[in-house]
Amino acid sequence: MSILSLLELISVLALLVNLATVHDSTIASMLGPVHGAFYLAVAVTALFGRGLSTRTRAYAVLPLLSGPLTLVQVRRETTR
């Protein structure tokens, strides 16, 4: 779960950097579906995963912030 969250965070940051700098549509068209797949993977894994809190499940479906919030929340849960 934490690897998926990290990959989702990296993909959204790459999209935002592209948007803020060169705004290349080719990069956006390649990274957009990749980011969407990571976002859905994080959401589905959190929603159907065992032993995760309701807060973690809710964080996993928040647009744009799902990666970092889920990553932090899962790490908190594993230390408990």
Coordinates of all heavy atoms in Angstrom, one line a residue:
M1 N 0.8 -1.2 0.0 CA 0.0 0.0 0.0 C 0.9 1.3 0.0 O 0.6 2.2 -0.7 CB -0.9 0.0 1.2 CG -1.7 1.2 1.4 SD -2.9 1.5 0.2 CE -4.3 1.4 1.2
S2 N 1.9 1.2 0.8 CA 2.8 2.4 0.8 C 3.5 2.7 -0.5 O 3.7 3.9 -0.8 CB 3.7 2.4 2.0 OG 4.6 1.2 1.9
I3 N 3.8 1.7 -1.2 CA 4.5 1.8 -2.5 C 3.5 2.5 -3.5 O 3.9 3.4 -4.2 CB 5.1 0.5 -3.0 CG1 6.2 0.1 -2.1 CG2 5.6 0.7 -4.4 CD1 6.8 -1.3 -2.4
L4 N 2.3 2.0 -3.5 CA 1.3 2.5 -4.4 C 1.0 4.0 -4.1 O 0.9 4.8 -5.0 CB 0.0 1.7 -4.3 CG -0.1 0.4 -5.0 CD1 -1.4 -0.3 -4.6 CD2 0.1 0.5 -6.5
S5 N 1.0 4.3 -2.8 CA 0.7 5.7 -2.4 C 1.9 6.6 -2.8 O 1.7 7.7 -3.3 CB 0.6 5.8 -0.9 OG -0.5 5.1 -0.4
L6 N 3.1 6.1 -2.7 CA 4.3 6.9 -3.1 C 4.3 7.1 -4.6 O 4.6 8.2 -5.1 CB 5.5 6.2 -2.6 CG 6.8 6.9 -2.8 CD1 6.8 8.2 -2.1 CD2 8.0 6.1 -2.4
L7 N 4.0 6.0 -5.3 CA 3.9 6.2 -6.8 C 2.8 7.1 -7.2 O 3.0 7.9 -8.2 CB 3.7 4.8 -7.4 CG 4.9 3.9 -7.4 CD1 4.5 2.5 -7.9 CD2 6.1 4.4 -8.1
E8 N 1.7 7.1 -6.5 CA 0.6 8.0 -6.9 C 1.0 9.5 -6.6 O 0.8 10.4 -7.4 CB -0.6 7.7 -6.1 CG -1.9 8.4 -6.5 CD -2.2 9.7 -5.8 OE1 -1.7 9.9 -4.7 OE2 -2.9 10.5 -6.4
L9 N 1.8 9.7 -5.5 CA 2.2 11.0 -5.1 C 3.2 11.5 -6.2 O 3.2 12.6 -6.6 CB 2.9 11.0 -3.7 CG 3.6 12.3 -3.3 CD1 2.6 13.4 -3.2 CD2 4.3 12.0 -2.0
I10 N 4.2 10.6 -6.6 CA 5.2 11.0 -7.6 C 4.5 11.4 -8.9 O 4.8 12.3 -9.6 CB 6.2 9.9 -7.8 CG1 7.1 9.8 -6.5 CG2 7.1 10.1 -9.0 CD1 7.9 8.6 -6.5
S11 N 3.5 10.6 -9.3 CA 2.8 10.9 -10.6 C 2.0 12.2 -10.6 O 2.0 12.9 -11.5 CB 1.9 9.7 -10.9 OG 0.8 9.6 -10.1
V12 N 1.4 12.5 -9.4 CA 0.7 13.8 -9.4 C 1.6 14.9 -9.3 O 1.4 16.0 -9.9 CB -0.4 13.8 -8.2 CG1 0.3 14.0 -6.9 CG2 -1.4 14.9 -8.5
L13 N 2.8 14.8 -8.7 CA 3.8 15.8 -8.7 C 4.3 16.1 -10.1 O 4.6 17.2 -10.5 CB 4.9 15.5 -7.7 CG 4.5 15.6 -6.2 CD1 5.7 15.2 -5.3 CD2 4.0 17.0 -5.8
A14 N 4.6 15.0 -10.8 CA 5.1 15.1 -12.2 C 4.1 15.8 -13.0 O 4.4 16.7 -13.9 CB 5.4 13.7 -12.7
L15 N 2.8 15.5 -12.9 CA 1.8 16.2 -13.6 C 1.7 17.7 -13.3 O 1.5 18.6 -14.1 CB 0.4 15.6 -13.4 CG 0.1 14.3 -14.1 CD1 -1.1 13.6 -13.6 CD2 0.0 14.6 -15.6
L16 N 1.8 18.0 -12.0 CA 1.8 19.4 -11.6 C 3.0 20.2 -12.0 O 2.9 21.4 -12.4 CB 1.6 19.5 -10.0 CG 0.3 19.1 -9.5 CD1 0.3 19.0 -8.0 CD2 -0.8 20.0 -10.0
V17 N 4.2 19.6 -12.0 CA 5.4 20.2 -12.5 C 5.2 20.5 -14.0 O 5.6 21.5 -14.5 CB 6.6 19.3 -12.2 CG1 7.8 19.8 -13.0 CG2 6.9 19.4 -10.7
N18 N 4.7 19.5 -14.7 CA 4.5 19.7 -16.2 C 3.5 20.9 -16.4 O 3.8 21.7 -17.3 CB 4.0 18.4 -16.8 CG 3.7 18.6 -18.3 OD1 4.5 19.1 -19.0 ND2 2.5 18.2 -18.7
L19 N 2.5 20.9 -15.6 CA 1.5 22.0 -15.8 C 2.1 23.4 -15.5 O 1.8 24.3 -16.1 CB 0.3 21.7 -14.8 CG -0.8 22.7 -14.9 CD1 -1.5 22.7 -16.3 CD2 -1.8 22.4 -13.8
A20 N 3.0 23.4 -14.4 CA 3.5 24.7 -14.0 C 4.7 25.2 -14.9 O 5.0 26.3 -14.9 CB 4.0 24.6 -12.6
T21 N 5.3 24.2 -15.6 CA 6.5 24.6 -16.4 C 6.2 24.6 -17.9 O 5.7 25.6 -18.5 CB 7.7 23.7 -16.1 OG1 7.3 22.3 -16.3 CG2 8.1 23.9 -14.7
V22 N 6.4 23.5 -18.6 CA 6.3 23.4 -20.0 C 4.9 23.2 -20.6 O 4.6 23.5 -21.7 CB 7.2 22.4 -20.6 CG1 8.7 22.8 -20.4 CG2 7.0 21.0 -20.1
H23 N 4.0 22.6 -19.7 CA 2.7 22.3 -20.1 C 2.6 21.5 -21.4 O 1.9 21.9 -22.4 CB 1.8 23.5 -20.1 CG 0.3 23.3 -20.1 ND1 -0.3 22.5 -19.2 CD2 -0.6 23.7 -21.0 CE1 -1.6 22.4 -19.5 NE2 -1.8 23.1 -20.6
D24 N 3.4 20.5 -21.5 CA 3.4 19.6 -22.7 C 2.3 18.6 -22.7 O 2.1 17.9 -21.8 CB 4.8 18.9 -22.8 CG 5.0 18.1 -24.0 OD1 4.2 18.3 -25.0 OD2 6.0 17.4 -24.1
S25 N 1.5 18.7 -23.7 CA 0.3 17.8 -23.8 C 0.7 16.3 -23.9 O -0.1 15.5 -23.5 CB -0.6 18.2 -24.9 OG 0.0 18.1 -26.1
T26 N 1.8 16.1 -24.5 CA 2.3 14.7 -24.7 C 2.6 14.1 -23.3 O 2.2 12.9 -23.0 CB 3.5 14.6 -25.6 OG1 3.2 15.2 -26.8 CG2 3.9 13.2 -25.8
I27 N 3.3 14.8 -22.5 CA 3.6 14.3 -21.1 C 2.3 14.1 -20.3 O 2.1 13.1 -19.7 CB 4.5 15.3 -20.4 CG1 5.9 15.4 -21.1 CG2 4.7 15.0 -18.9 CD1 6.8 16.4 -20.6
A28 N 1.4 15.1 -20.4 CA 0.1 15.0 -19.7 C -0.7 13.8 -20.2 O -1.3 13.1 -19.4 CB -0.7 16.3 -19.9
S29 N -0.7 13.5 -21.5 CA -1.5 12.4 -22.0 C -0.8 11.1 -21.6 O -1.5 10.1 -21.6 CB -1.6 12.5 -23.5 OG -0.4 12.4 -24.2
M30 N 0.5 11.0 -21.4 CA 1.1 9.8 -20.9 C 1.0 9.6 -19.4 O 0.7 8.5 -18.9 CB 2.6 9.8 -21.3 CG 2.8 9.6 -22.8 SD 4.6 9.3 -23.2 CE 5.4 10.5 -22.3
L31 N 1.2 10.7 -18.7 CA 1.2 10.6 -17.2 C -0.3 10.6 -16.6 O -0.5 10.0 -15.5 CB 1.9 11.7 -16.6 CG 3.4 11.6 -16.6 CD1 4.1 12.9 -16.0 CD2 3.9 10.4 -16.0
G32 N -1.2 11.1 -17.3 CA -2.6 11.2 -16.8 C -3.2 9.8 -16.5 O -3.6 9.6 -15.4
P33 N -3.2 8.9 -17.5 CA -3.7 7.6 -17.2 C -2.9 6.8 -16.2 O -3.4 6.0 -15.4 CB -3.6 6.9 -18.6 CG -3.6 8.0 -19.6 CD -2.9 9.1 -18.9
V34 N -1.6 7.0 -16.2 CA -0.7 6.4 -15.2 C -1.1 6.8 -13.8 O -1.3 6.0 -12.9 CB 0.8 6.6 -15.5 CG1 1.6 6.1 -14.3 CG2 1.2 6.0 -16.8
H35 N -1.3 8.1 -13.6 CA -1.7 8.7 -12.4 C -3.1 8.1 -12.0 O -3.3 7.8 -10.8 CB -1.7 10.2 -12.4 CG -2.4 10.8 -11.2 ND1 -1.9 10.7 -9.9 CD2 -3.6 11.4 -11.1 CE1 -2.7 11.3 -9.1 NE2 -3.8 11.7 -9.8
G36 N -4.0 8.1 -12.9 CA -5.3 7.6 -12.7 C -5.3 6.2 -12.2 O -6.0 5.8 -11.3
A37 N -4.5 5.4 -12.8 CA -4.4 3.9 -12.4 C -3.8 3.8 -11.0 O -4.3 3.0 -10.2 CB -3.5 3.2 -13.4
F38 N -2.8 4.6 -10.7 CA -2.3 4.6 -9.3 C -3.3 5.1 -8.3 O -3.4 4.5 -7.2 CB -1.0 5.4 -9.2 CG 0.2 4.8 -9.8 CD1 1.1 5.6 -10.5 CD2 0.5 3.4 -9.7 CE1 2.2 5.0 -11.1 CE2 1.6 2.9 -10.2 CZ 2.5 3.6 -10.9
Y39 N -4.0 6.1 -8.6 CA -5.1 6.6 -7.8 C -6.1 5.6 -7.5 O -6.5 5.3 -6.3 CB -5.7 7.9 -8.4 CG -6.9 8.4 -7.6 CD1 -6.8 9.0 -6.4 CD2 -8.2 8.2 -8.1 CE1 -7.9 9.5 -5.7 CE2 -9.3 8.6 -7.4 CZ -9.2 9.3 -6.2 OH -10.3 9.7 -5.6
L40 N -6.6 4.9 -8.5 CA -7.6 3.9 -8.4 C -7.0 2.7 -7.6 O -7.7 2.1 -6.8 CB -8.1 3.4 -9.7 CG -9.0 4.4 -10.4 CD1 -9.4 3.8 -11.8 CD2 -10.3 4.6 -9.6
A41 N -5.8 2.3 -7.8 CA -5.2 1.2 -7.1 C -5.1 1.5 -5.6 O -5.4 0.7 -4.8 CB -3.8 0.9 -7.7
V42 N -4.7 2.8 -5.2 CA -4.7 3.1 -3.8 C -6.1 3.1 -3.2 O -6.3 2.6 -2.1 CB -4.0 4.6 -3.7 CG1 -4.2 5.1 -2.3 CG2 -2.6 4.5 -4.0
A43 N -7.0 3.7 -3.9 CA -8.4 3.7 -3.4 C -9.0 2.3 -3.2 O -9.5 2.0 -2.1 CB -9.3 4.5 -4.3
V44 N -8.8 1.5 -4.2 CA -9.4 0.1 -4.1 C -8.7 -0.7 -3.1 O -9.3 -1.4 -2.3 CB -9.3 -0.6 -5.5 CG1 -9.7 -2.1 -5.4 CG2 -10.3 0.1 -6.5
T45 N -7.4 -0.6 -3.0 CA -6.6 -1.3 -2.0 C -7.0 -0.9 -0.6 O -7.2 -1.7 0.3 CB -5.1 -1.1 -2.2 OG1 -4.8 -1.5 -3.5 CG2 -4.3 -1.9 -1.2
A46 N -7.2 0.4 -0.4 CA -7.6 0.9 1.0 C -9.0 0.5 1.3 O -9.3 0.1 2.4 CB -7.4 2.4 1.0
L47 N -9.9 0.6 0.3 CA -11.3 0.3 0.6 C -11.5 -1.2 0.9 O -12.4 -1.5 1.7 CB -12.2 0.7 -0.6 CG -12.3 2.2 -0.8 CD1 -13.1 2.5 -2.0 CD2 -13.0 2.9 0.4
F48 N -10.8 -2.1 0.2 CA -11.0 -3.5 0.4 C -9.9 -4.2 1.3 O -10.0 -5.4 1.5 CB -11.1 -4.2 -0.9 CG -12.3 -3.8 -1.7 CD1 -12.2 -3.1 -2.9 CD2 -13.6 -4.2 -1.2 CE1 -13.3 -2.7 -3.6 CE2 -14.7 -3.8 -2.0 CZ -14.6 -3.1 -3.1
G49 N -9.0 -3.4 1.7 CA -7.9 -4.0 2.6 C -8.4 -4.3 4.0 O -9.3 -3.6 4.5
R50 N -7.8 -5.3 4.6 CA -8.1 -5.7 5.9 C -7.4 -4.9 6.9 O -6.2 -4.5 6.8 CB -7.8 -7.1 6.1 CG -8.7 -8.0 5.4 CD -8.4 -9.5 5.8 NE -9.4 -10.3 5.3 CZ -9.4 -11.6 5.5 NH1 -8.4 -12.2 6.1 NH2 -10.4 -12.4 5.0
G51 N -8.0 -4.6 8.0 CA -7.4 -4.0 9.2 C -7.0 -2.5 9.1 O -6.3 -2.0 9.9
L52 N -7.6 -1.8 8.1 CA -7.3 -0.4 7.9 C -8.5 0.4 8.6 O -9.6 0.0 8.6 CB -7.2 0.0 6.5 CG -6.1 -0.6 5.7 CD1 -6.1 -0.2 4.2 CD2 -4.7 -0.2 6.3
S53 N -8.1 1.5 9.2 CA -9.1 2.4 9.8 C -10.0 3.1 8.8 O -9.7 3.2 7.6 CB -8.4 3.4 10.7 OG -7.8 4.4 9.9
T54 N -11.1 3.6 9.3 CA -12.0 4.3 8.5 C -11.4 5.6 8.0 O -11.6 6.0 6.8 CB -13.3 4.7 9.3 OG1 -13.9 3.5 9.8 CG2 -14.3 5.4 8.4
R55 N -10.5 6.2 8.8 CA -9.8 7.4 8.4 C -8.9 7.1 7.2 O -8.8 7.9 6.2 CB -9.0 8.0 9.5 CG -8.2 9.2 9.1 CD -7.4 9.8 10.3 NE -8.4 10.4 11.2 CZ -8.1 10.9 12.3 NH1 -6.9 10.8 12.8 NH2 -9.0 11.5 13.1
T56 N -8.2 6.0 7.2 CA -7.3 5.7 6.1 C -8.1 5.4 4.8 O -7.7 5.8 3.8 CB -6.5 4.4 6.5 OG1 -5.8 4.6 7.6 CG2 -5.5 4.0 5.3
R57 N -9.2 4.8 5.0 CA -10.1 4.5 3.8 C -10.6 5.8 3.2 O -10.7 6.0 2.0 CB -11.2 3.6 4.2 CG -10.8 2.2 4.6 CD -12.0 1.4 5.1 NE -11.5 0.3 5.9 CZ -11.2 -0.9 5.4 NH1 -11.3 -1.1 4.1 NH2 -10.8 -1.9 6.2
A58 N -11.0 6.8 4.1 CA -11.5 8.0 3.6 C -10.4 8.9 2.9 O -10.6 9.5 1.9 CB -12.1 8.8 4.8
Y59 N -9.2 8.8 3.5 CA -8.0 9.5 2.9 C -7.7 9.0 1.5 O -7.2 9.7 0.6 CB -6.8 9.4 3.8 CG -6.8 10.3 5.0 CD1 -5.9 10.1 6.0 CD2 -7.7 11.3 5.2 CE1 -5.9 10.9 7.1 CE2 -7.8 12.1 6.3 CZ -6.8 12.0 7.3 OH -6.8 12.7 8.4
A60 N -7.9 7.7 1.3 CA -7.5 7.1 0.1 C -8.3 7.5 -1.1 O -7.9 7.4 -2.3 CB -7.5 5.5 0.2
V61 N -9.5 8.0 -0.9 CA -10.4 8.4 -2.0 C -10.4 10.0 -2.2 O -11.1 10.4 -3.1 CB -11.8 7.9 -1.8 CG1 -11.8 6.4 -1.9 CG2 -12.4 8.4 -0.5
L62 N -9.6 10.7 -1.4 CA -9.5 12.2 -1.6 C -8.7 12.5 -2.9 O -7.6 12.0 -3.0 CB -8.9 12.8 -0.4 CG -9.7 12.9 0.8 CD1 -8.9 13.5 2.0 CD2 -11.0 13.8 0.6
P63 N -9.3 13.2 -3.8 CA -8.5 13.6 -5.0 C -7.3 14.4 -4.6 O -7.3 15.2 -3.7 CB -9.4 14.4 -5.8 CG -10.8 14.1 -5.3 CD -10.6 13.7 -3.9
L64 N -6.2 14.3 -5.3 CA -4.9 15.0 -5.2 C -4.1 14.7 -3.9 O -2.9 14.6 -3.9 CB -5.2 16.5 -5.3 CG -3.9 17.4 -5.4 CD1 -3.2 17.1 -6.7 CD2 -4.3 18.9 -5.3
L65 N -4.8 14.5 -2.8 CA -4.1 14.2 -1.5 C -4.1 12.8 -1.1 O -3.6 12.5 0.0 CB -4.7 15.1 -0.4 CG -4.7 16.6 -0.6 CD1 -5.4 17.3 0.5 CD2 -3.2 17.1 -0.7
S66 N -4.7 11.9 -1.9 CA -4.8 10.5 -1.5 C -3.5 9.8 -1.2 O -3.3 9.1 -0.3 CB -5.6 9.7 -2.5 OG -4.9 9.6 -3.7
G67 N -2.5 10.1 -2.1 CA -1.2 9.5 -1.9 C -0.5 9.8 -0.6 O -0.2 8.9 0.2
P68 N -0.2 11.1 -0.4 CA 0.5 11.4 0.8 C -0.3 11.1 2.1 O 0.3 10.7 3.1 CB 0.8 12.9 0.7 CG 0.0 13.4 -0.4 CD -0.4 12.3 -1.2
L69 N -1.6 11.4 2.1 CA -2.4 11.2 3.3 C -2.5 9.7 3.7 O -2.3 9.3 4.8 CB -3.8 11.7 3.2 CG -3.9 13.3 3.2 CD1 -5.3 13.7 2.9 CD2 -3.4 13.8 4.5
T70 N -2.7 8.9 2.7 CA -2.7 7.4 2.9 C -1.4 6.9 3.3 O -1.3 6.0 4.2 CB -3.2 6.7 1.6 OG1 -4.4 7.3 1.2 CG2 -3.4 5.2 1.9
L71 N -0.3 7.4 2.7 CA 1.0 6.9 3.1 C 1.3 7.2 4.5 O 1.8 6.4 5.3 CB 2.1 7.7 2.2 CG 3.5 7.3 2.4 CD1 3.8 5.9 2.0 CD2 4.4 8.2 1.5
V72 N 1.0 8.4 5.0 CA 1.3 8.8 6.4 C 0.4 8.0 7.3 O 0.8 7.4 8.3 CB 1.0 10.3 6.6 CG1 1.0 10.7 8.1 CG2 2.1 11.1 5.9
Q73 N -0.9 7.8 7.0 CA -1.8 7.1 7.8 C -1.5 5.6 7.9 O -1.6 5.0 9.0 CB -3.3 7.3 7.3 CG -4.3 6.8 8.2 CD -4.4 7.6 9.5 OE1 -4.0 8.8 9.5 NE2 -4.9 7.1 10.5
V74 N -1.1 5.0 6.8 CA -0.7 3.6 6.9 C 0.6 3.4 7.7 O 0.6 2.4 8.5 CB -0.5 3.0 5.5 CG1 0.2 1.7 5.5 CG2 -1.8 2.9 4.7
R75 N 1.5 4.3 7.6 CA 2.7 4.2 8.5 C 2.3 4.4 10.0 O 2.9 3.7 10.8 CB 3.7 5.2 8.1 CG 4.4 4.8 6.7 CD 5.5 5.7 6.4 NE 6.1 5.3 5.1 CZ 7.0 6.0 4.5 NH1 7.4 7.1 4.9 NH2 7.5 5.5 3.3
R76 N 1.4 5.2 10.3 CA 1.0 5.4 11.6 C 0.3 4.1 12.2 O 0.5 3.7 13.3 CB 0.0 6.5 11.8 CG 0.6 7.9 11.7 CD -0.4 9.0 12.0 NE 0.2 10.3 11.8 CZ -0.5 11.4 11.6 NH1 -1.9 11.3 11.5 NH2 0.1 12.5 11.4
E77 N -0.5 3.5 11.3 CA -1.2 2.3 11.7 C -0.2 1.1 11.9 O -0.5 0.3 12.8 CB -2.3 1.9 10.7 CG -3.5 2.8 10.7 CD -4.6 2.4 9.8 OE1 -4.6 1.2 9.5 OE2 -5.4 3.2 9.5
T78 N 0.8 1.1 11.1 CA 1.8 -0.1 11.3 C 2.6 0.1 12.5 O 3.1 -0.9 13.0 CB 2.6 -0.2 10.0 OG1 3.3 1.0 9.8 CG2 1.8 -0.6 8.8
T79 N 2.8 1.3 13.0 CA 3.6 1.5 14.2 C 2.9 1.2 15.4 O 3.4 1.0 16.5 CB 4.2 2.9 14.2 OG1 3.2 3.8 14.2 CG2 5.2 3.1 13.1
R80 N 1.5 1.1 15.3 CA 0.7 0.9 16.5 C 0.6 -0.6 16.8 O 0.7 -1.5 16.3 CB -0.7 1.5 16.3 CG -0.6 3.0 16.4 CD -2.0 3.5 16.3 NE -1.9 5.0 16.2 CZ -2.9 5.8 15.9 NH1 -4.1 5.3 15.7 NH2 -2.7 7.1 15.9

